[in-house]
Amino acid sequence: MLTCDVAIIGAGPVGLAFASTLSDRGISSILLERAPEAALAAPAPDGREIALTHRAIAILRELGAWDLIPAEAISPIRAARVLDGTSPFALRFDPDAPAEDGPLGMLVGNSEIRRALYGAAMRRGGLRLLAGRTATCIVREAGGVVVHATGGETVGARLAVAADTRFSPMRAAQGISTLRDDYGTSMLVCRMPHERPHELGPRRREAGDEREQDDRGDPQRRRIRAPRDRRHPLRLRPHRQGLRPHVPQRPGPRRRRRPGLGARPRRLGGAGH
C-alpha cells in the first residue's frame, strides 16, 4: 500500500493546484486520476473559456502555471454585463477609461489552464500521480483513511480530498450532500476569426431575446454563446455577420379571454327576482 499525507481523488485543475500548494508546504500527496497521463499532459480543447479574476491569476502565478500559458491563448476582459433572466436591466462593468489595474480579468481556454497546471505540478517533488486509476471507495480507519482504486491499488493517507468534478461520486459516497439546481439548458461555444475589430468582444445571446452580453476582449477573436433547450433541436440561421444560433420557441399556454367593461352582466338568482 502506498502512503502519503493527503490522497487527492481527481487530477483536474483543482486537484493539481491543491497538490502543488501542498508540495510547496512540505506536505506529500498522491493524485488518483481515471484519465491516462497523456490526456493530462496534452488535454484536448473542450470549448470552455474560463474568466479568470486577478486573484485567480495571482494563484496561477504563485504556482508557476501562468507563465506556461501561451500569450496568444489569453484574451483581456475589458467590459462585462450581468443579466438576470428576461429582466431588461443589467449590471454593467464598462469603464469609460482603462483602469489602472488593467482589464477586469482574463479569458483563457480550460484546456490551456489544465495543461499549465499539470506542467507546474510535475516539476515539484512530494507528489505522485497515479493516472488511469479510478477510486472506488474510501475506508475510514484509525488515524486516517484508505482509498481503494481499480487495479488493486490502495493509498493510505491522513486525509482524503474528493476533487473528482462538481458531481463528485466520492463525496456522495461519504454522505456529504450538496444543493444543486439544474436549469435544463446547455451552451454552444465557438470561435470565429475575423479581419476587422468587432469592438464588442465575446457575445452572449438569450434565446428569443435580442439583448446581448459583451465584454471587449481580443479584437481578432470572437466567441458566441447561446443557451440551448435540450428539448428542441439547435439550428444555425444565416446572418450578415455569419451563422447565428437559433432556438425555436415553444408556443406558450393559450390565454382565456375575459369579458371587458361592455360585456353583458350575468343574471343572479331566478327569473322572478
Side-chain angles (χ1 to χ4, degrees), residues 44-130:
D46 57 8
R48 288 184 290 176
E49 303 287 333
I50 309 301
L52 298 174
T53 63
H54 290 277
R55 175 58 179 162
I57 295 173
I59 294 175
L60 292 175
R61 290 186 187 276
E62 182 181 352
L63 297 177
W66 184 254
D67 294 335
L68 301 180
I69 300 176
E72 59 271 15
I74 303 173
S75 299
I77 302 175
R78 301 192 179 96
R81 297 178 189 174
V82 180
L83 304 179
D84 183 11
T86 58
S87 172
F89 302 101
L91 178 62
R92 298 175 60 94
F93 297 90
D94 191 6
D96 297 332
E100 296 180 359
D101 297 334
L104 298 175
M106 298 294 180
L107 205 61
V108 183
N110 183 60
S111 59
E112 295 290 348
I113 297 174
R114 292 175 56 194
R115 181 185 295 105
L117 284 171
Y118 170 82
M122 293 301 102
R123 295 178 179 181
R124 288 171 162 82
L127 66 85
R128 181 175 178 181
L129 173 64
L130 298 180

Side-chain angles (χ1 to χ4, degrees), residues 124-203:
R124 288 171 162 82
L127 66 85
R128 181 175 178 181
L129 173 64
L130 298 180
R133 313 296 206 285
T134 300
T136 56
C137 68
I138 301 175
V139 179
R140 300 179 186 180
E141 295 187 351
V145 297
V146 176
V147 180
H148 294 261
T150 55
E153 202 81 65
T154 57
V155 177
R158 297 169 57 191
L159 175 69
V161 175
D164 49 338
T165 77
R166 64 184 183 276
F167 306 113
S168 173
M170 286 292 101
R171 179 186 61 210
Q174 296 301 308
I176 303 175
S177 61
T178 59
L179 297 177
R180 185 170 68 236
D181 291 330
D182 185 358
Y183 295 97
T185 60
S186 57
M187 194 73 71
L188 172 67
V189 183
C190 64
R191 288 188 176 187
M192 301 178 64
H194 49 86
E195 298 178 355
R196 299 180 180 178
H198 53 77
E199 301 298 340
L200 288 177
R203 292 187 174 185

Side-chain angles (χ1 to χ4, degrees), residues 241-261:
Q241 295 180 348
L243 295 178
R244 288 289 184 89
H246 171 66
V247 180
Q249 298 296 304
R250 290 190 305 166
R254 299 183 61 183
R255 297 183 179 179
R256 296 181 179 180
R257 298 185 59 185
R258 301 180 60 182
L261 296 177

